[in-house]
């Protein structure tokens, strides 16, 4: 952008060569425009920097009321603390670009992102970080949870229990006798089935 402004400035001087005062007026205008562009770029870079300002303490469960936690994160304060322990959430996360994030804040972001449809721009307002910072923090904690729980997510670990799961669901009225679990699709709408509507739940 600076190059374009410099070219315009030079062009204005050439075009207005016959009138020195007019040429100087154009040059002054373009210099002011360049300074405004510099300030705008600096402000944009500060906002889009992944690292939160040092003065920002980050958000914690104590930043929200119990009702807000249940509505936005689907867990109360006690359950969130328990989940953090079970998933081995560390006090500090460090991304590949060496940015540091509070473990509790990152975990809250993960829960909120999975519980709703908010975009990074909207989450940035909630957590006081830039959209790229939100994206980086989310990816770091998601990778941690996946690696920590990867062994428990293997189907082979539950092979002996799958029949018992299916039996319990069948006794509760599940139409499919060999169903051992459900995919959480609460974020997506589904078509109303012609048969077996009572076995479908989407809420």
């Amino acid at each position: 952008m600076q190059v374009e402004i410099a070219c315009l400035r030079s062009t204005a001087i050439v075009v207005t060569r016959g009138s020195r005062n007019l040429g100087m007026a154009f040059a002054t205008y373009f210099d002011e425009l360049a300074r405004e562009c510099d300030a705008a770029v600096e402000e944009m870079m500060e906002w889009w920097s992944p690292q939160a300002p040092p003065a920002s303490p980050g958000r914690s469960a104590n930043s929200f009321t119990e009702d807000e936690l249940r509505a936005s994160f689907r867990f109360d304060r006690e359950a969130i603390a328990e989940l953090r322990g079970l998933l081995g959430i560390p006090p500090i996360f460090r991304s590949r670009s060496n940015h540091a994030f509070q473990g509790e804040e990152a975990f809250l972001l993960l829960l909120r992102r999975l519980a709703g449809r908010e975009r990074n721009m909207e989450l940035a307002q909630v957590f006081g970080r830039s959209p790229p910072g939100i994206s980086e923090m989310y990816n770091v904690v998601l990778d941690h949870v996946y690696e920590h729980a990867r062994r428990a997510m293997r189907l082979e670990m539950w092979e002996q229990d799958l029949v018992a799961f299916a039996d319990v669901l069948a006794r509760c009225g599940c139409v499919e006798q060999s169903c051992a679990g459900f995919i959480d699709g609460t974020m997506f709408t589904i078509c109303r089935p012609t048969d077996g509507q009572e076995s479908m739940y989407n809420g």
Side-chain angles (χ1 to χ4, degrees):
M1 184 178 293
Q2 292 288 6
V3 175
E4 286 81 356
I5 292 175
C7 290
L8 288 172
R9 184 180 188 277
S10 300
T11 303
I13 293 175
V14 171
V15 171
T16 59
R17 185 172 295 172
S19 174
R20 186 173 183 277
N21 291 337
L22 185 58
M24 291 303 296
F26 270 105
T28 301
Y29 170 77
F30 284 119
D31 287 342
E32 181 62 28
L33 181 61
R35 284 192 291 271
E36 292 180 1
C37 288
D38 284 340
V41 169
E42 184 177 347
E43 182 180 355
M44 182 181 68
M45 293 301 295
E46 181 179 351
W47 166 243
W48 283 88
S49 172
Q51 183 64 34
S56 175
R59 304 302 297 271
S60 67
N62 292 330
S63 305
F64 304 91
T65 67
E66 284 290 347
D67 291 339
E68 288 174 335
L69 289 174
R70 289 181 179 276
S72 299
F73 304 94
R74 297 190 180 182
F75 296 96
D76 58 23
R77 205 179 314 276
E78 184 178 348
I80 289 174
E82 183 179 359
L83 283 172
R84 286 178 57 204
L86 291 172
L87 294 173
I89 302 297
I92 298 292
F93 280 111
R94 285 205 171 272
S95 66
R96 293 180 180 177
S97 55
N98 205 34
H99 290 128
F101 303 104
Q102 295 291 331
E104 183 175 3
E105 181 187 21
F107 186 58
L108 287 173
L109 170 64
L110 176 71
L111 293 179
R112 181 143 182 169
R113 181 81 176 269
L114 295 178
R117 295 182 175 182
E118 290 172 297
R119 299 170 300 174
N120 286 351
M121 186 68 73
E122 295 160 340
L123 291 169
Q125 300 297 325
V126 175
F127 288 90
R129 290 184 178 269
S130 65
I134 289 294
S135 178
E136 191 171 1
M137 182 162 57
Y138 174 76
N139 289 333
V140 167
V141 68
L142 185 64
D143 287 344
H144 170 85
V145 170
Y146 176 77
E147 289 298 330
H148 187 86
R150 182 168 56 174
R151 185 171 179 270
M153 290 189 292
R154 292 176 56 191
L155 192 60
E156 295 85 349
M157 293 290 298
W158 304 95
E159 188 173 0
Q160 297 180 351
D161 301 305
L162 295 179
V163 175
F165 294 163
D167 289 343
V168 171
L169 290 173
R171 288 198 298 272
C172 292
C174 183
V175 176
E176 180 57 56
Q177 298 299 307
S178 58
C179 179
F182 303 97
I183 297 175
D184 183 5
T186 56
M187 290 175 61
F188 307 99
T189 56
I190 63 173
C191 295
R192 180 179 297 175
T194 303
D195 300 318
Q197 290 186 22
E198 65 280 355
S199 66
M200 299 293 177
Y201 174 77
N202 186 34

